[in-house]
């Protein structure tokens, strides 16, 4: 069984799906591994390190993928209409393991099905004990929560801990973490280690005990709806408009006292909920900082801007893209171990070939496309539209107009 490790081509993506450590372990499993040249550069992994671990190096993506049974990546391959068409290099029935945003990108799912790719979406790994070692969302969120505090502290113009000096006392920073999932809990722990006074909010009742165990105080409207605000999988439910209004009023009062707010709230398959309004930002102290970890899904703060640090109403709003990628080597090492654990379910121990056991809830829960069809019950696909060809008798000017019109339409979409 041959595994291809590809270089990531999206802007701001510094990670790689396999480390020299995990390549060595895959080779020990009896697998052939080909790494695209330069795939690990952003994570400080050289071609030589991969070769020493037992991999061979492909000069480009096409060469690395040739004859591969499974391709592993961090982010989904780009398709026709994006900056490049990575999907064009895939062969029918070739396996793909990566983050796909399968619940929110039906055009991509349709293109993957049309290409005949057998696709496994890592973001759909079920939250069960056996799958913890494969949970890429948790491993990457953990690092993102840590980095959010470091990024916020960098932008903050004062010290975090209380300091008693001969010249007077420096008060501790007050930090509010919004969303106490994996990223939020790590942010709480990191801010506490730096000496801040930390509070946190979340709509899940179980979060209260977790926040308090880390030394933070819990802020939430604890009514009957709050007690039912968690899915069976451990994710937050989308709350009613009435609850959101009550929670927003509480947060509006709390946020005025904060030096830093870190927002981490995400709902699978939906845009990020707006938690911090422009009016709330206006009430914050001059020099305060907001770090929006949900900026790639639309942002939790109304004023955050994608991949930018902006100053509005005297408040710095940090919206870095791909925050785990800002710790590329650590993030790649953890992601690679997650994939290695997942790959152990795809390899037949006797034949060393790919097996798809639909009786395994992890395999069944992540399998999105197979045999040219979408097979996951929760995933929808949009049929890819064939490119229109200009007629033989069309004038150059008319063809040019059609292209211009198509570009305008694509931008609107």
């Amino acid at each position: 069984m041959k595994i291809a490790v590809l270089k990531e081509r999206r802007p701001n993506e510094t990670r790689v799906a396999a480390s020299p450590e995990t390549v060595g372990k895959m080779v020990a499993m009896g697998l052939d591994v080909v790494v695209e040249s330069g795939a690990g550069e952003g994570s400080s992994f050289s071609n030589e390190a991969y070769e020493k671990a037992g991999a061979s190096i492909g000069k480009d993506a096409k060469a690395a993928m040739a004859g591969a049974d499974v391709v592993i990546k961090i982010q989904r391959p780009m398709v026709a209409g994006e900056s490049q068409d990575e999907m064009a290099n895939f062969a029918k029935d070739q396996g793909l393991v990566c983050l796909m945003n399968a619940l929110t990108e039906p055009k991509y799912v349709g293109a993957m099905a049309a290409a005949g790719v057998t696709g496994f979406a890592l973001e759909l790994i079920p939250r069960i004990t056996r799958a913890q070692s494969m949970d890429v969302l948790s491993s990457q969120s953990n690092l993102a929560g840590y980095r959010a505090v470091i990024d916020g502290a960098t932008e903050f113009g004062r010290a975090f801990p209380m300091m008693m000096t001969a010249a007077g006392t420096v008060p501790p920073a007050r930090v509010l973490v919004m969303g106490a999932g994996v990223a939020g809990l790590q942010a709480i722990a990191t801010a506490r280690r730096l000496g801040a006074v930390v509070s946190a909010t979340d709509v899940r009742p179980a979060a209260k005990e977790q926040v308090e165990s880390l030394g933070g105080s819990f802020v939430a409207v604890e009514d009957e709806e709050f007690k039912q605000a968690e899915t069976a999988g451990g994710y937050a439910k989308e709350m009613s408009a009435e609850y959101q209004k009550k929670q927003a009023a509480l947060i509006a009062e709390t946020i005025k006292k904060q030096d830093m707010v870190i927002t981490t709230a995400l709902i699978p398959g939906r845009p990020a909920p707006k938690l911090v309004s422009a009016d709330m930002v206006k009430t914050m102290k001059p020099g305060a900082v907001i770090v929006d970890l949900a900026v790639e899904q639309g942002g939790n703060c109304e004023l955050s801007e994608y991949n930018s640090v902006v100053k509005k109403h005297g408040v710095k709003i940090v919206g870095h893209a791909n925050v785990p990628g800002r710790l590329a080597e650590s993030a790649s090492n953890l992601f690679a171990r997650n994939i290695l654990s997942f790959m152990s379910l795809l390899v037949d121990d006797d034949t060393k070939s790919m097996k798809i056991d639909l009786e395994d809830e992890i395999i069944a829960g992540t399998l999105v496309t197979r045999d040219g069809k979408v097979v996951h019950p929760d995933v929808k696909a949009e049929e890819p539209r064939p490119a229109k060809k200009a007629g033989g008798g069309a004038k150059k000017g008319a063809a040019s107009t059609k292209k211009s019109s198509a570009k305008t339409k694509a931008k609107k979409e």
Side-chain angles (χ1 to χ4, degrees):
M1 183 171 170
K2 180 178 176 181
I3 310 298
V5 183
L6 298 190
K7 183 176 183 178
E8 301 295 322
R9 288 169 166 76
R10 293 179 182 276
N12 308 306
E13 187 51 82
T14 54
R15 297 170 292 175
V16 63
S19 64
E21 175 201 8
T22 60
V23 164
K25 290 180 178 179
M26 283 190 277
V27 170
M29 289 167 60
L31 308 179
D32 294 326
V33 182
V34 182
V35 178
E36 182 183 354
S37 182
E41 286 179 355
S43 299
S44 305
F45 302 144
S46 66
N47 287 348
E48 291 73 21
Y50 283 118
E51 287 181 308
K52 189 175 180 180
S56 55
I57 303 299
K59 66 176 182 178
D60 54 26
K62 191 172 183 179
M65 293 171 66
D69 297 285
V70 177
V71 175
I72 60 176
K73 289 183 90 278
I74 299 285
Q75 297 197 48
R76 69 161 180 81
M78 289 180 278
V79 297
E82 297 184 84
S83 59
Q84 50 186 297
D85 186 1
E86 294 179 273
M87 188 58 68
N89 290 328
F90 279 79
K92 185 180 179 183
D93 296 327
Q94 204 161 35
L96 170 64
V97 177
C98 66
L99 290 169
M100 294 180 181
N101 299 323
L103 295 175
T104 56
E105 295 200 35
K107 287 185 179 179
Y108 170 72
V109 174
M112 186 168 60
V117 173
T118 302
F120 297 89
L122 291 174
E123 73 273 13
L124 299 181
I125 286 177
R127 283 197 162 182
I128 58 176
T129 302
R130 191 167 63 90
Q132 286 181 347
S133 64
M134 310 169 198
D135 189 352
V136 294
L137 296 184
S138 291
S139 73
Q140 302 304 290
S141 293
N142 211 321
L143 291 171
Y146 162 79
R147 183 68 201 208
V149 178
I150 303 303
D151 285 339
T154 301
E155 300 295 340
F156 188 50
R158 302 201 300 276
F160 256 51
M162 175 183 283
M163 296 183 182
M164 301 183 72
T165 74
T169 300
V170 177
R174 302 184 68 88
V175 177
L176 172 66
V177 178
M178 303 186 74
V182 174
L185 292 173
Q186 183 58 248
I188 293 167
T190 303
R192 286 280 296 160
R193 284 195 291 268
L194 290 179
V197 174
V198 183
S199 56
T201 181
D202 196 287
V203 298
R204 296 171 300 120
K208 181 178 181 178
E209 184 178 346
Q210 294 169 329
V211 168
E212 292 174 346
S213 72
L214 292 171
S217 58
F218 193 68
V219 181
V221 176
E222 299 183 44
D223 60 10
E224 287 303 313
E225 184 177 357
F226 172 78
K227 295 175 183 177
Q228 307 296 325
E230 189 170 350
T231 68
Y235 292 100
K237 287 183 181 178
E238 188 168 20
M239 306 299 282
S240 69
E242 182 181 355
Y243 182 90
Q244 290 180 33
K245 186 176 179 180
K246 290 189 290 185
Q247 180 74 353
L250 176 61
I251 296 304
E253 285 303 311
T254 304
I255 214 168
K256 296 176 184 178
K257 308 167 189 175
Q258 306 304 313
D259 297 302
M260 184 178 298
V261 175
I262 297 173
T263 68
T264 71
L266 290 171
I267 300 171
R270 293 177 178 269
K274 296 299 181 190
L275 304 178
V276 181
S277 67
D279 288 338
M280 291 180 186
V281 175
K282 291 176 184 178
T283 69
M284 294 182 72
K285 304 174 185 178
V289 177
I290 296 172
V291 182
D292 192 342
L293 282 182
V295 71
E296 290 179 297
Q297 280 74 46
N300 294 141
C301 177
E302 188 178 349
L303 299 181
S304 61
E305 296 182 13
Y306 176 75
N307 203 29
S308 298
V309 178
V310 296
K311 191 171 186 178
K312 298 185 179 181
H313 309 297
V315 176
K316 281 188 177 180
I317 304 173
V318 181
H320 292 305
N322 189 17
V323 174
R326 294 170 64 77
L327 297 163
E329 185 174 349
S330 296
S332 294
N333 273 318
L334 295 183
F335 198 105
R337 290 170 195 157
N338 292 145
I339 283 192
L340 178 66
S341 294
F342 182 79
M343 289 299 299
S344 67
L345 302 180
L346 284 180
V347 179
D348 186 286
D349 291 334
D350 296 324
T351 64
K352 303 302 179 185
S353 59
M354 184 167 72
K355 65 174 183 179
I356 300 177
D357 180 8
L358 295 180
E359 296 298 315
D360 188 311
E361 62 183 312
I362 298 174
I363 296 299
T366 54
L367 182 61
V368 174
T369 58
R370 189 182 188 188
D371 298 328
K373 299 177 183 178
V374 178
V375 296
H376 197 289
D378 297 330
V379 174
K380 296 179 181 179
E382 184 175 309
E383 291 293 329
R385 299 174 185 174
K388 292 184 178 179
K389 295 182 179 180
K395 293 182 180 179
K396 185 176 181 181
S400 177
T401 301
K402 286 182 180 179
K403 288 180 182 178
S404 175
S405 182
K407 286 180 181 178
T408 303
K409 184 178 180 182
K411 286 180 181 178
K412 288 181 180 178
E413 292 176 343

